[in-house]
Amino acid sequence: MASMEIDSANSNASDPDNPRFSINVLQLLKSAQMQHGLRHGDYTRYRRYCTARLRRLYKSLKFTHGRGKYTKRAITQSTVTEVRFLHVVLYTAERAWSHAMEKRQLPDGPNARQRIYLIGRLRKAVKWATLFAQLCASKGDSRTSLEAEAYASYMTGNLLFEQDRNWDIALLNFKRSRAVYEELGKVGDLENQVLCRERVEELEPSIRYCLHKIGKSNIQASELLHIGEMEGPALDLFKAKLEAVMSEARSQQAVSMTEFHWLGHRFPISNAKTRVSILKARELEKDLQDSADSLPAEKRLTIFDKIFTAYHEARSSIRSDLVSAGNAENVKDDLSGLDKAVSAVLGQRTIERNQLLVKIAKSKLVRRHDEKNEKVTKPEELVRLYDLLLQNIADLSDLVSSGRDRKPEEVTFAEECSLKSIAFRGERCFYLAKSYSLAGKRAEAHVLYCHARSLVEDAIQKFRSENISDPIIEELKTLIEECRANSCIEHATGIMEEIKAPENLSNKISNMSLTGAEKKPVKYLLQSLDNYESVIANSNTKSAPRIEAFPPAFQAIPRNPIVLDLAFNFIDFPSLENRMKKDRKGFISRLWG
């Protein structure tokens, strides 16, 4: 049976007066949740789907609540004459639950008034889930009744879990739901067994948390973070509760945190909110460092985003304190130094994150197109990432170098930044050469490979002279060999292309034609006006019919004759002076003539 279909064949039992309906509750809900928003945690979209689904069910059942004035119509045991009435109750419970989870996912968390509304919606979900279990007990088959009881127990556990009370009753409900799904996971088809096992795994963290709150578990609050690493709608309440517990634990630890150490400086921290934010960032940094090799790149990027959020919260608290500090110079100096230190640490983490992005891009650079249908990285993308790294290094170096009294640790740190800047410039030049090579510009690529090699050798020499050990040195040594190999390849390829250039040019010129070479003979309408043929092209051809070739082909035409008068310079013409008219002169002109 498909997840969104009703098994009508098995819906009626042998007794026609008391029909038994069958619904695969977990499969139905999982399919609806994954298709309508909860794959990405969008509870708003899922709530709207439940509302639209209920509207369709009400109309199809002709079970509306009147026009204009609302008249409530209750669903009782006698009302349920077909399975769609059970769907109405189930989706009403889902709508209330998704509305509560929507309030839970507000950016700053629900305030007091929103929390009251949230618990009210969870009570509604428990009410409708309980009614669904009662109706399925009398109108459904044994499996449907069991799944309905498990669903009602799960909703009741969620309500008590959110209310922070009656942990023993919440534990009992979660265990009851888990036991039902464990038994149902042993029967049925493979898809149903997988879904039941997934639901059991989703319930396990909530059960362990209830045991922790009751005091029957030795697990510590800091160890609870590793329980909720799975994804799923059933874990969202647990994760929200876990974050609240960890915030409380951080607040207790932050009492002992009075100073922030950075490059030989000690800055006092007086604001409790700043302490909690810095402590949260340090815990995330520790988790990132401890599991650097085991975590996938996507998870590490997510942790980096959380670190940035924590440090930005700390900076906003520090700057709020700066505004309210007034004329107290000592307090303002301490807060300015703390702001500078937190900004520098944030810059370092930004560089580390961009280096991780470079590593991911390099792994995709040499990957083939047919591997997992992933997009292959272009060298231009790596050039852009190295531009970002160079900008980050420059900003961090300027921040550390600012100030009057610089300690030796700050000077050493600034020198390391300048050395890393040279190394990043060399790697950027290498991938810029690769982009020119792919464009067919051999001379430019050869020059850039040589320049990248000189930059990398300069960086390695300076690292050794300063006695600085950095993992980037081994990467630079490999890069030198790649620069040398690629420059030789570009040189040889350029010579071969230069030798073959005249031959390729002559081949291209010999293939030129005034009329053009058609791959297939094309029949035009104007060439067959005397023939009775269809204007429309044949059904087996994809090309449209053509009236005339455009632009028209070149044609040879006669040229006007050119007359060259070559005999003019060799003809001796007779003298005509005796025929010319002579001028007559007067008496005075004769005297002066």
Side-chain angles (χ1 to χ4, degrees):
M1 182 183 67
S3 59
M4 298 298 293
E5 292 177 354
I6 303 165
D7 192 1
S8 58
N10 299 325
S11 61
N12 296 328
S14 57
D15 187 5
D17 298 331
N18 188 18
R20 293 283 178 173
F21 304 110
S22 177
I23 304 174
N24 197 332
V25 180
L26 184 60
Q27 197 170 355
L28 177 70
L29 293 181
K30 274 287 184 180
S31 178
Q33 290 173 0
M34 292 298 105
Q35 292 178 17
H36 299 93
L38 292 200
R39 186 185 299 274
H40 309 289
D42 190 354
Y43 286 96
T44 304
R45 181 184 167 193
Y46 182 60
R47 175 175 62 84
R48 290 171 180 169
Y49 163 74
C50 291
T51 303
R53 177 71 175 153
L54 284 170
R55 188 183 299 114
R56 291 195 297 269
L57 286 170
Y58 281 130
K59 286 186 177 180
S60 63
L61 290 169
K62 297 181 180 179
F63 194 71
T64 55
H65 300 280
R67 289 186 178 180
K69 186 178 178 181
Y70 176 81
T71 305
K72 183 179 179 180
R73 297 181 66 181
I75 298 179
T76 59
Q77 183 176 346
S78 59
T79 311
V80 182
T81 55
E82 55 177 299
V83 74
R84 284 181 293 174
F85 284 100
L86 297 178
H87 281 223
V88 168
V89 181
L90 179 61
Y91 279 108
T92 307
E94 281 289 290
R95 181 176 63 178
W97 170 77
S98 60
H99 201 175
M101 296 303 295
E102 180 184 350
K103 296 296 181 184
R104 165 55 69 187
Q105 283 194 330
L106 291 173
D108 298 329
N111 54 31
R113 187 172 182 177
Q114 291 167 342
R115 180 171 166 76
I116 292 172
Y117 183 77
L118 184 153
I119 292 175
R121 296 306 296 169
L122 282 178
R123 284 200 181 99
K124 283 283 186 181
V126 172
K127 172 189 171 184
W128 286 101
T130 306
L131 177 61
F132 179 67
Q134 293 172 358
L135 294 175
C136 288
S138 58
K139 291 292 183 178
D141 57 9
S142 57
R143 179 187 177 87
T144 304
S145 178
L146 271 177
E147 284 201 64
E149 288 180 8
Y151 179 73
S153 300
Y154 168 69
M155 284 297 177
T156 307
N158 280 339
L159 173 62
L160 298 173
F161 196 87
E162 181 61 31
Q163 288 179 330
D164 281 339
R165 64 183 185 185
N166 297 330
W167 292 104
D168 51 348
I169 303 177
L171 176 65
L172 182 63
N173 279 280
F174 283 134
K175 282 187 174 181
R176 187 183 302 159
S177 180
R178 182 184 65 176
V180 171
Y181 286 119
E182 283 177 350
E183 293 301 320
L184 291 176
K186 299 176 183 178
V187 296
D189 56 358
L190 182 60
E191 183 181 0
N192 179 72
Q193 293 179 16
V194 171
L195 287 176
C196 289
R197 275 193 234 106
E198 287 179 356
R199 179 50 64 94
V200 169
E201 291 175 359
E202 290 174 358
L203 289 170
E204 191 64 31
S206 300
I207 292 173
R208 295 185 67 180
Y209 185 80
C210 292
L211 288 172
H212 169 71
K213 296 297 288 186
I214 294 172
K216 294 183 179 180
S217 176
N218 296 325
I219 190 169
Q220 301 297 323
S222 59
E223 299 175 10
L224 287 169
L225 283 172
H226 303 288
I227 301 176
E229 292 179 352
M230 297 182 298
E231 299 292 336
L235 291 169
D236 287 342
L237 269 179
F238 168 74
K239 289 180 180 179
K241 189 68 65 178
L242 186 58
E243 183 61 32
V245 171
M246 295 309 298
S247 298
E248 184 180 350
R250 290 190 198 103
S251 300
Q252 295 175 357
Q253 293 178 13
V255 177
S256 59
M257 181 182 179
T258 57
E259 293 180 337
F260 185 79
H261 301 269
W262 176 74
L263 294 182
H265 294 280
R266 293 185 177 185
F267 303 103
I269 308 175
S270 57
N271 193 336
K273 189 175 180 181
T274 307
R275 293 176 187 171
V276 172
S277 299
I278 293 175
L279 191 62
K280 180 181 178 181
R282 285 185 171 178
E283 287 179 359
L284 291 169
E285 288 172 354
K286 187 175 181 300
D287 292 341
L288 190 65
Q289 187 176 3
D290 293 343
S291 57
D293 299 329
S294 59
L295 278 178
E298 290 76 11
K299 288 285 184 69
R300 295 179 66 190
L301 289 175
T302 305
I303 295 177
F304 270 118
D305 292 339
K306 293 180 180 178
I307 291 173
F308 295 156
T309 304
Y311 276 126
H312 282 302
E313 290 176 357
R315 287 178 65 189
S316 62
S317 301
I318 293 168
R319 291 177 181 181
S320 299
D321 293 340
L322 269 171
V323 173
S324 59
N327 296 325
E329 293 296 332
N330 294 333
V331 176
K332 291 180 73 174
D333 290 342
D334 291 338
L335 289 173
S336 299
L338 181 60
D339 182 51
K340 175 183 174 181
V342 172
S343 300
V345 175
L346 185 59
Q348 288 179 271
R349 301 298 166 260
T350 305
I351 292 171
E352 291 174 5
R353 179 182 178 276
N354 288 337
Q355 285 181 307
L356 177 60
L357 291 175
V358 166
K359 184 178 179 182
I360 296 171
K362 284 182 180 179
S363 66
K364 294 180 180 179
L365 184 67
V366 296
R367 190 173 294 172
R368 295 180 180 177
H369 289 273
D370 55 353
E371 291 186 8
K372 299 181 181 180
N373 294 324
E374 290 187 359
K375 183 180 179 182
V376 179
T377 304
K378 295 181 181 179
E380 291 84 354
E381 298 178 19
L382 279 162
V383 172
R384 182 185 60 83
L385 288 173
Y386 276 112
D387 283 334
L388 288 175
L389 279 171
L390 288 171
Q391 185 63 43
N392 297 144
I393 286 284
D395 294 341
L396 183 59
S397 180
D398 292 341
L399 182 64
V400 174
S401 301
S402 63
R404 298 175 184 175
D405 301 329
R406 295 178 61 191
K407 291 197 172 185
E409 291 87 350
E410 293 180 343
V411 176
T412 305
F413 187 81
E415 291 176 355
E416 291 180 3
C417 287
S418 63
L419 291 180
K420 285 187 177 181
S421 178
I422 298 173
F424 290 151
R425 282 177 58 201
E427 297 201 40
R428 178 189 178 277
C429 189
F430 174 78
Y431 290 104
L432 186 61
K434 269 190 174 297
S435 64
Y436 273 97
S437 176
L438 292 176
K441 299 180 179 180
R442 307 298 173 191
E444 292 85 347
H446 176 73
V447 171
L448 287 170
Y449 279 128
C450 295
H451 183 56
R453 182 180 177 185
S454 64
L455 286 173
V456 172
E457 288 175 349
D458 185 25
I460 292 177
Q461 185 178 359
K462 288 184 177 180
F463 271 115
R464 288 175 178 172
S465 62
E466 297 291 338
N467 293 325
I468 299 174
S469 59
D470 197 285
I472 201 173
I473 296 178
E474 297 298 325
E475 185 179 346
L476 294 177
K477 290 179 181 178
T478 308
L479 191 62
I480 288 177
E481 300 299 325
E482 291 184 4
C483 287
R484 182 177 177 276
N486 282 283
S487 61
C488 293
I489 291 172
E490 293 300 323
H491 190 197
T493 308
I495 292 174
M496 292 172 61
E497 289 180 355
E498 188 177 358
I499 293 172
K500 292 182 179 179
E503 182 181 352
N504 294 335
L505 183 61
S506 62
N507 290 334
K508 290 178 181 179
I509 292 174
S510 62
N511 293 329
M512 291 176 66
S513 174
L514 289 176
T515 58
E518 292 284 350
K519 295 181 179 179
K520 293 182 180 179
V522 181
K523 184 181 289 185
Y524 298 102
L525 178 61
L526 292 180
Q527 295 175 358
S528 57
L529 291 176
D530 298 334
N531 301 327
Y532 184 76
E533 293 182 2
S534 175
V535 179
I536 303 174
N538 297 329
S539 59
N540 57 354
T541 60
K542 296 182 180 180
S543 60
R546 302 178 67 177
I547 299 173
E548 179 57 283
F550 186 84
F554 290 103
Q555 295 180 1
I557 60 172
R559 178 77 172 119
N560 292 333
I562 300 173
V563 179
L564 301 176
D565 195 355
L566 301 177
F568 179 79
N569 297 328
F570 299 96
I571 297 174
D572 294 332
F573 293 97
S575 179
L576 300 176
E577 292 181 358
N578 55 350
R579 295 186 182 183
M580 294 175 65
K581 186 178 180 180
K582 295 180 179 180
D583 296 334
R584 293 182 179 181
K585 297 180 180 180
F587 176 75
I588 298 175
S589 62
R590 290 178 185 177
L591 292 176
W592 293 100

Short mmCIF file of all heavy atoms in Angstrom, two decimals, residues 528-562:
data_model
loop_
_atom_site.label_atom_id
_atom_site.label_comp_id
_atom_site.label_asym_id
_atom_site.label_seq_id
_atom_site.Cartn_x
_atom_site.Cartn_y
_atom_site.Cartn_z
N SER A 528 11.01 25.34 -56.43
CA SER A 528 10.08 24.32 -56.94
C SER A 528 8.66 24.88 -57.03
O SER A 528 7.70 24.25 -56.58
CB SER A 528 10.10 23.09 -56.03
OG SER A 528 9.78 23.47 -54.71
N LEU A 529 8.55 26.10 -57.62
CA LEU A 529 7.22 26.70 -57.77
C LEU A 529 6.38 26.00 -58.82
O LEU A 529 5.14 26.01 -58.77
CB LEU A 529 7.37 28.19 -58.11
CG LEU A 529 7.92 29.08 -56.99
CD1 LEU A 529 8.09 30.51 -57.51
CD2 LEU A 529 7.00 29.07 -55.79
N ASP A 530 7.04 25.39 -59.85
CA ASP A 530 6.30 24.70 -60.92
C ASP A 530 5.85 23.30 -60.52
O ASP A 530 5.10 22.67 -61.26
CB ASP A 530 7.17 24.62 -62.18
CG ASP A 530 7.51 26.00 -62.70
OD1 ASP A 530 6.70 26.93 -62.43
OD2 ASP A 530 8.56 26.16 -63.35
N ASN A 531 6.33 22.82 -59.40
CA ASN A 531 5.99 21.46 -58.96
C ASN A 531 4.91 21.54 -57.88
O ASN A 531 4.93 22.43 -56.99
CB ASN A 531 7.21 20.74 -58.40
CG ASN A 531 8.32 20.64 -59.44
OD1 ASN A 531 8.04 20.52 -60.63
ND2 ASN A 531 9.56 20.70 -58.98
N TYR A 532 3.99 20.59 -57.92
CA TYR A 532 2.92 20.54 -56.92
C TYR A 532 3.42 19.68 -55.75
O TYR A 532 3.35 18.45 -55.77
CB TYR A 532 1.65 19.96 -57.53
CG TYR A 532 0.49 19.97 -56.56
CD1 TYR A 532 -0.19 21.16 -56.28
CD2 TYR A 532 0.09 18.81 -55.90
CE1 TYR A 532 -1.25 21.18 -55.39
CE2 TYR A 532 -0.97 18.83 -55.00
CZ TYR A 532 -1.63 20.02 -54.75
OH TYR A 532 -2.67 20.02 -53.86
N GLU A 533 3.95 20.33 -54.76
CA GLU A 533 4.45 19.64 -53.56
C GLU A 533 3.96 20.38 -52.32
O GLU A 533 3.64 21.56 -52.37
CB GLU A 533 5.98 19.59 -53.56
CG GLU A 533 6.57 18.73 -54.66
CD GLU A 533 8.08 18.68 -54.58
OE1 GLU A 533 8.62 19.30 -53.64
OE2 GLU A 533 8.71 18.03 -55.44
N SER A 534 3.93 19.66 -51.20
CA SER A 534 3.47 20.25 -49.94
C SER A 534 4.52 21.22 -49.41
O SER A 534 5.73 20.97 -49.48
CB SER A 534 3.22 19.14 -48.91
OG SER A 534 2.90 19.71 -47.67
N VAL A 535 4.03 22.35 -48.92
CA VAL A 535 4.94 23.34 -48.34
C VAL A 535 5.47 22.85 -47.00
O VAL A 535 6.60 23.14 -46.60
CB VAL A 535 4.21 24.69 -48.18
CG1 VAL A 535 5.11 25.73 -47.54
CG2 VAL A 535 3.71 25.17 -49.52
N ILE A 536 4.66 22.12 -46.28
CA ILE A 536 5.05 21.63 -44.95
C ILE A 536 6.08 20.52 -45.13
O ILE A 536 5.99 19.71 -46.04
CB ILE A 536 3.83 21.11 -44.19
CG1 ILE A 536 2.78 22.21 -44.09
CG2 ILE A 536 4.21 20.63 -42.81
CD1 ILE A 536 1.48 21.77 -43.49
N ALA A 537 7.06 20.52 -44.23
CA ALA A 537 8.12 19.51 -44.31
C ALA A 537 7.57 18.13 -43.98
O ALA A 537 6.46 17.97 -43.47
CB ALA A 537 9.24 19.88 -43.33
N ASN A 538 8.38 17.13 -44.27
CA ASN A 538 7.97 15.75 -44.00
C ASN A 538 7.82 15.53 -42.49
O ASN A 538 8.46 16.19 -41.67
CB ASN A 538 9.00 14.78 -44.57
CG ASN A 538 9.08 14.90 -46.08
OD1 ASN A 538 8.08 15.22 -46.73
ND2 ASN A 538 10.26 14.65 -46.63
N SER A 539 6.99 14.58 -42.13
CA SER A 539 6.72 14.34 -40.71
C SER A 539 7.93 13.77 -39.98
O SER A 539 8.04 13.89 -38.77
CB SER A 539 5.53 13.39 -40.58
OG SER A 539 5.82 12.15 -41.23
N ASN A 540 8.84 13.11 -40.72
CA ASN A 540 10.00 12.49 -40.06
C ASN A 540 11.17 13.45 -39.90
O ASN A 540 12.23 13.08 -39.40
CB ASN A 540 10.44 11.25 -40.83
CG ASN A 540 10.76 11.58 -42.27
OD1 ASN A 540 10.55 12.70 -42.71
ND2 ASN A 540 11.26 10.59 -43.01
N THR A 541 11.06 14.69 -40.35
CA THR A 541 12.13 15.67 -40.20
C THR A 541 11.74 16.68 -39.14
O THR A 541 10.58 17.04 -39.00
CB THR A 541 12.39 16.41 -41.52
OG1 THR A 541 11.20 17.08 -41.92
CG2 THR A 541 12.83 15.44 -42.61
N LYS A 542 12.76 17.16 -38.40
CA LYS A 542 12.52 18.12 -37.33
C LYS A 542 12.63 19.56 -37.80
O LYS A 542 12.16 20.47 -37.13
CB LYS A 542 13.52 17.88 -36.19
CG LYS A 542 13.36 16.52 -35.51
CD LYS A 542 14.35 16.38 -34.38
CE LYS A 542 14.19 15.02 -33.69
NZ LYS A 542 15.15 14.86 -32.59
N SER A 543 13.30 19.78 -38.96
CA SER A 543 13.51 21.15 -39.42
C SER A 543 12.26 21.70 -40.08
O SER A 543 11.48 20.97 -40.70
CB SER A 543 14.68 21.19 -40.41
OG SER A 543 14.40 20.38 -41.53
N ALA A 544 12.05 23.01 -39.94
CA ALA A 544 10.89 23.66 -40.54
C ALA A 544 11.13 23.90 -42.03
O ALA A 544 12.28 23.97 -42.48
CB ALA A 544 10.64 25.00 -39.83
N PRO A 545 10.07 24.01 -42.84
CA PRO A 545 10.26 24.27 -44.28
C PRO A 545 10.88 25.64 -44.50
O PRO A 545 10.61 26.59 -43.77
CB PRO A 545 8.83 24.19 -44.83
CG PRO A 545 7.95 24.47 -43.67
CD PRO A 545 8.65 23.89 -42.48
N ARG A 546 11.68 25.76 -45.58
CA ARG A 546 12.38 27.00 -45.88
C ARG A 546 11.93 27.54 -47.23
O ARG A 546 11.79 26.80 -48.20
CB ARG A 546 13.89 26.76 -45.88
CG ARG A 546 14.39 26.20 -44.55
CD ARG A 546 15.86 25.92 -44.55
NE ARG A 546 16.62 27.15 -44.65
CZ ARG A 546 17.96 27.20 -44.62
NH1 ARG A 546 18.64 26.08 -44.51
NH2 ARG A 546 18.59 28.35 -44.70
N ILE A 547 11.72 28.86 -47.27
CA ILE A 547 11.25 29.48 -48.50
C ILE A 547 12.42 29.78 -49.44
O ILE A 547 12.39 29.44 -50.61
CB ILE A 547 10.48 30.78 -48.18
CG1 ILE A 547 9.26 30.44 -47.31
CG2 ILE A 547 10.04 31.49 -49.44
CD1 ILE A 547 8.52 31.65 -46.81
N GLU A 548 13.46 30.40 -48.92
CA GLU A 548 14.62 30.74 -49.73
C GLU A 548 15.84 30.85 -48.81
O GLU A 548 15.71 31.13 -47.61
CB GLU A 548 14.39 32.07 -50.46
CG GLU A 548 15.53 32.57 -51.34
CD GLU A 548 15.94 31.58 -52.41
OE1 GLU A 548 16.64 30.61 -52.06
OE2 GLU A 548 15.57 31.75 -53.59
N ALA A 549 17.00 30.59 -49.38
CA ALA A 549 18.23 30.67 -48.59
C ALA A 549 18.53 32.12 -48.24
O ALA A 549 18.47 33.01 -49.09
CB ALA A 549 19.40 30.07 -49.38
N PHE A 550 18.83 32.34 -46.95
CA PHE A 550 19.19 33.69 -46.51
C PHE A 550 20.30 33.60 -45.48
O PHE A 550 20.21 32.81 -44.54
CB PHE A 550 17.97 34.40 -45.89
CG PHE A 550 18.24 35.84 -45.55
CD1 PHE A 550 18.12 36.82 -46.53
CD2 PHE A 550 18.64 36.20 -44.28
CE1 PHE A 550 18.38 38.13 -46.23
CE2 PHE A 550 18.91 37.51 -43.98
CZ PHE A 550 18.78 38.49 -44.95
N PRO A 551 21.37 34.38 -45.67
CA PRO A 551 21.63 35.32 -46.78
C PRO A 551 21.93 34.59 -48.07
O PRO A 551 22.38 33.45 -48.04
CB PRO A 551 22.85 36.10 -46.28
CG PRO A 551 23.54 35.18 -45.33
CD PRO A 551 22.47 34.38 -44.67
N PRO A 552 21.68 35.21 -49.19
CA PRO A 552 21.90 34.51 -50.47
C PRO A 552 23.37 34.21 -50.69
O PRO A 552 24.25 34.91 -50.19
CB PRO A 552 21.36 35.52 -51.51
CG PRO A 552 21.40 36.84 -50.82
CD PRO A 552 21.15 36.58 -49.38
N ALA A 553 23.63 33.17 -51.48
CA ALA A 553 25.01 32.77 -51.75
C ALA A 553 25.67 33.75 -52.72
O ALA A 553 25.00 34.46 -53.49
CB ALA A 553 25.03 31.35 -52.33
N PHE A 554 27.00 33.79 -52.68
CA PHE A 554 27.76 34.64 -53.60
C PHE A 554 27.64 34.11 -55.04
O PHE A 554 27.69 32.89 -55.26
CB PHE A 554 29.23 34.69 -53.20
CG PHE A 554 29.47 35.45 -51.93
CD1 PHE A 554 29.71 34.79 -50.75
CD2 PHE A 554 29.45 36.85 -51.93
CE1 PHE A 554 29.92 35.48 -49.58
CE2 PHE A 554 29.67 37.55 -50.77
CZ PHE A 554 29.91 36.88 -49.59
N GLN A 555 27.50 35.04 -56.01
CA GLN A 555 27.43 34.67 -57.42
C GLN A 555 28.39 35.54 -58.22
O GLN A 555 28.60 36.72 -57.89
CB GLN A 555 26.01 34.87 -57.97
CG GLN A 555 24.96 33.95 -57.33
CD GLN A 555 23.58 34.18 -57.91
OE1 GLN A 555 23.41 35.02 -58.80
NE2 GLN A 555 22.61 33.43 -57.41
N ALA A 556 28.98 34.93 -59.25
CA ALA A 556 29.87 35.69 -60.14
C ALA A 556 29.04 36.52 -61.12
O ALA A 556 28.11 36.01 -61.76
CB ALA A 556 30.79 34.75 -60.90
N ILE A 557 29.35 37.81 -61.29
CA ILE A 557 28.61 38.70 -62.19
C ILE A 557 29.60 39.38 -63.13
O ILE A 557 30.79 39.54 -62.78
CB ILE A 557 27.80 39.76 -61.40
CG1 ILE A 557 28.74 40.63 -60.56
CG2 ILE A 557 26.76 39.09 -60.53
CD1 ILE A 557 28.04 41.79 -59.90
N PRO A 558 29.17 39.78 -64.39
CA PRO A 558 30.09 40.44 -65.33
C PRO A 558 30.47 41.83 -64.84
O PRO A 558 29.64 42.55 -64.26
CB PRO A 558 29.30 40.50 -66.63
CG PRO A 558 27.86 40.42 -66.20
CD PRO A 558 27.84 39.56 -64.99
N ARG A 559 31.73 42.22 -65.11
CA ARG A 559 32.25 43.52 -64.68
C ARG A 559 32.27 44.47 -65.88
O ARG A 559 32.48 44.06 -67.02
CB ARG A 559 33.68 43.35 -64.14
CG ARG A 559 34.34 44.63 -63.70
CD ARG A 559 33.81 45.07 -62.35
NE ARG A 559 34.58 46.19 -61.83
CZ ARG A 559 34.07 47.38 -61.56
NH1 ARG A 559 32.79 47.60 -61.80
NH2 ARG A 559 34.82 48.34 -61.06
N ASN A 560 32.05 45.78 -65.68
CA ASN A 560 32.16 46.76 -66.76
C ASN A 560 33.58 46.78 -67.32
O ASN A 560 34.56 46.65 -66.57
CB ASN A 560 31.80 48.15 -66.24
CG ASN A 560 30.33 48.27 -65.87
OD1 ASN A 560 29.51 47.55 -66.43
ND2 ASN A 560 30.01 49.17 -64.97
N PRO A 561 33.73 46.98 -68.69
CA PRO A 561 35.09 46.96 -69.28
C PRO A 561 35.91 48.15 -68.79
O PRO A 561 35.41 49.26 -68.60
CB PRO A 561 34.83 47.03 -70.78
CG PRO A 561 33.46 47.65 -70.88
CD PRO A 561 32.69 47.18 -69.71
N ILE A 562 37.19 47.92 -68.64
CA ILE A 562 38.13 48.96 -68.21
C ILE A 562 38.93 49.40 -69.43
O ILE A 562 39.58 48.58 -70.09
CB ILE A 562 39.05 48.42 -67.11
CG1 ILE A 562 38.22 47.98 -65.90
CG2 ILE A 562 40.06 49.49 -66.69
CD1 ILE A 562 39.02 47.30 -64.84
#
